[in-house]
Amino acid sequence: MTDPVPPSLDHQGSRRLGRREEAFWYVLAAVSYVGLGVYHKWLLNWIVGPLWLVATVTIGPAIIDRIRRRSTSSADA
Amino acid sequence: MSWAAHQFEIYAVHAHLPRKMQAQVSYFGIYLGDFTPDFLSKFWVYGFNYNGHHYGSKVPERWHRGWPGMGITHTLFLGVIFAAIFWAWKRNRAFTVGYVLGYAAHVLTDVNDSVGVMLLFPFTALSWSLKTWAYAATIGGGKYLDAASYYSSLGLVMDLFWMVVVLCSWRVFTREYWRTKVVPADPHIWAWFGRRLPERGLLALYRATFFYGVCRMIAWSTWAHLVARPVINGVQHHGYPMDLSWTGPWWLDARSLHHVSPLLVLPAVLLLLTLVYWVANRLWEPMGRAQDAARARRSSSSRS
């Protein structure tokens, strides 16, 4: 019998974000997209815009988790 | 034309579905219905330059909204035709109804600019326009002038209005709403994305159109009013002048096509909106029965 999936993990075993962390990534995505979009208008389209958010929210926390794991394992060693 | 309003109205439509349709109308159907009119017509409106030659429409407003032209893309008639084709092909009620509602939202919102849409095509090719703001797609100005004009006029108010409508229904953005009201109507599409993305990515994908709408509204408004240095009537301005008067802004000639009296437009829009929801409501159960019968046929033929 397999263990039930902990509520903090999703169907892929990825971490679910808390409210504050989620808000942080959304605001980061918005500020960076608007900031760049004002001067690089080609970014302001229906493909890049949605992808920008999905990529930030998906990849950002994964990178942070990897860095944290690496620094923890190097501290243990 | 409308800008971010088209992104916001998708969520507004989903949040205000009739009770019996809640959790059963496809979000992707509404999205694609709202997206189709401009997807089919807009690229050629602005056109592009290559080797010193401009490729695109000669008269943008006629191409975009007129007949002959691609104005048919901004008619309820074509939305219903596309939905009927999809229904005949897939017998998918959630997507078909969502598609019609999304398409109707786009068409009915676009009556606000000075060109308007052919609301009663194919019975008449006359444009129906409230002339709330100036239609500003031009060959010389392209997307930049169009954005500057829109975000200096009541178009900005229209975007803000739709944003507030959606924010008043803020629950539409919660994980719970997505899980219980959005995913069940499109289980296969979300399952397909779910094999590639974690849940936080799926949720971001669902919220992404709103995100894009807010960001493009802020970015284009910021550029138009804080960054751009336009020369209007020989005078250089720090930002495009704001003008919230009817059919503004004053510094641009509002384009228009042969149209009916603007006084007729609002009643016609309300009537058509009511008609669309009434028909969808009446067809909801018969479509459900036809969908179930088609699924039963498919599953029995796949077993045999």
Side-chain angles (χ1 to χ4, degrees), chain B residues 243-263:
Chain B
D243 176 15
L244 296 183
S245 64
W246 208 256
T247 326
W250 59 264
W251 43 265
L252 187 112
D253 284 334
R255 309 298 175 98
S256 71
L257 295 173
H258 197 47
H259 56 84
V260 301
S261 163
L263 294 174

Side-chain angles (χ1 to χ4, degrees), chain B residues 60-75:
Chain B
E61 65 273 20
R62 178 162 295 285
W63 164 266
H64 193 192
R65 302 282 181 73
W67 181 261
M70 288 297 277
I72 189 173
T73 58
H74 284 67
T75 62

Side-chain angles (χ1 to χ4, degrees), chain B residues 17-257:
Chain B
L17 287 168
R19 191 178 291 268
K20 68 178 175 186
M21 295 183 192
Q22 282 172 12
Q24 295 185 73
V25 171
S26 162
Y27 163 78
F28 289 108
I30 300 173
Y31 174 86
L32 281 174
D34 201 294
F35 183 70
T36 304
D38 279 347
F39 179 73
L40 293 178
S41 61
K42 212 163 172 185
F43 175 67
W44 204 244
V45 171
Y46 301 126
F48 60 94
N49 295 314
Y50 181 71
N51 252 352
H53 187 267
H54 179 80
Y55 296 89
S57 55
K58 297 278 182 284
V59 185
E61 65 273 20
R62 178 162 295 285
W63 164 266
H64 193 192
R65 302 282 181 73
W67 181 261
M70 288 297 277
I72 189 173
T73 58
H74 284 67
T75 62
L76 292 175
F77 171 72
L78 194 68
V80 170
I81 297 260
F82 282 152
I85 291 170
F86 186 81
W87 170 252
W89 177 37
K90 286 285 183 188
R91 286 283 190 274
N92 184 327
R93 177 178 70 172
F95 188 92
T96 306
V97 172
Y99 188 87
V100 169
L101 296 182
Y103 210 106
H106 187 119
V107 170
L108 297 179
T109 303
D110 275 351
V111 299
N112 280 286
D113 64 45
S114 60
V115 171
V117 299
M118 299 184 292
L119 266 191
L120 295 188
F121 187 89
F123 304 109
T124 167
L126 283 173
S127 275
W128 296 64
S129 161
L130 282 169
K131 297 186 178 293
T132 317
W133 58 81
Y135 179 98
T138 56
I139 295 172
K143 196 170 190 172
Y144 284 59
L145 185 65
D146 195 358
S149 165
Y150 183 79
Y151 285 115
S152 301
S153 70
L154 286 171
L156 174 61
V157 177
M158 186 64 157
D159 277 9
L160 290 171
F161 166 77
W162 278 108
M163 191 177 77
V164 169
V165 167
V166 176
L167 288 177
C168 285
S169 316
W170 58 271
R171 280 193 178 80
V172 81
F173 295 118
T174 60
R175 181 181 285 128
E176 188 61 17
Y177 184 92
W178 170 74
R179 252 173 26 81
T180 59
K181 299 272 200 298
V182 177
V183 174
D186 285 312
H188 300 299
I189 300 177
W190 287 110
W192 188 87
F193 280 119
R195 288 194 286 277
R196 289 150 182 86
L197 289 171
E199 191 191 77
R200 61 175 186 267
L202 297 177
L203 203 48
L205 182 67
Y206 165 62
R207 294 165 175 164
T209 304
F210 182 79
F211 167 87
Y212 169 55
V214 173
C215 289
R216 77 190 297 217
M217 181 175 72
I218 296 171
W220 279 113
S221 300
T222 304
W223 168 78
H225 299 294
L226 299 177
V227 178
R229 296 286 179 267
V231 176
I232 299 169
N233 298 338
V235 179
Q236 190 177 39
H237 293 257
H238 290 277
Y240 284 90
M242 197 81 185
D243 176 15
L244 296 183
S245 64
W246 208 256
T247 326
W250 59 264
W251 43 265
L252 187 112
D253 284 334
R255 309 298 175 98
S256 71
L257 295 173

Side-chain angles (χ1 to χ4, degrees), chain A residues 10-12 14-17 22 26 29-31 33-34 37-39 41-47 49-54 57-59 61-62 65, chain B residues 7 31 35 39 143-144 175 179 193-209 211-212 214-216 218-220 222-223 227:
Chain A
D10 67 11
H11 64 286
Q12 284 196 338
S14 293
R15 190 165 57 83
R16 286 198 172 100
L17 304 180
E22 189 177 54
Y26 277 75
V31 170
Y33 185 58
V34 169
V38 169
Y39 296 99
K41 305 288 182 315
W42 62 270
L43 289 170
L44 299 174
N45 68 61
W46 61 274
I47 298 173
L51 265 181
W52 193 279
L53 178 69
V54 174
V57 173
T58 304
I59 300 168
D65 288 350
Chain B
Q7 276 82 60
Y31 174 86
F35 183 70
F39 179 73
K143 196 170 190 172
Y144 284 59
R175 181 181 285 128
R179 252 173 26 81
F193 280 119
R195 288 194 286 277
R196 289 150 182 86
L197 289 171
E199 191 191 77
R200 61 175 186 267
L202 297 177
L203 203 48
L205 182 67
Y206 165 62
R207 294 165 175 164
T209 304
F211 167 87
Y212 169 55
V214 173
C215 289
R216 77 190 297 217
I218 296 171
W220 279 113
T222 304
W223 168 78
V227 178

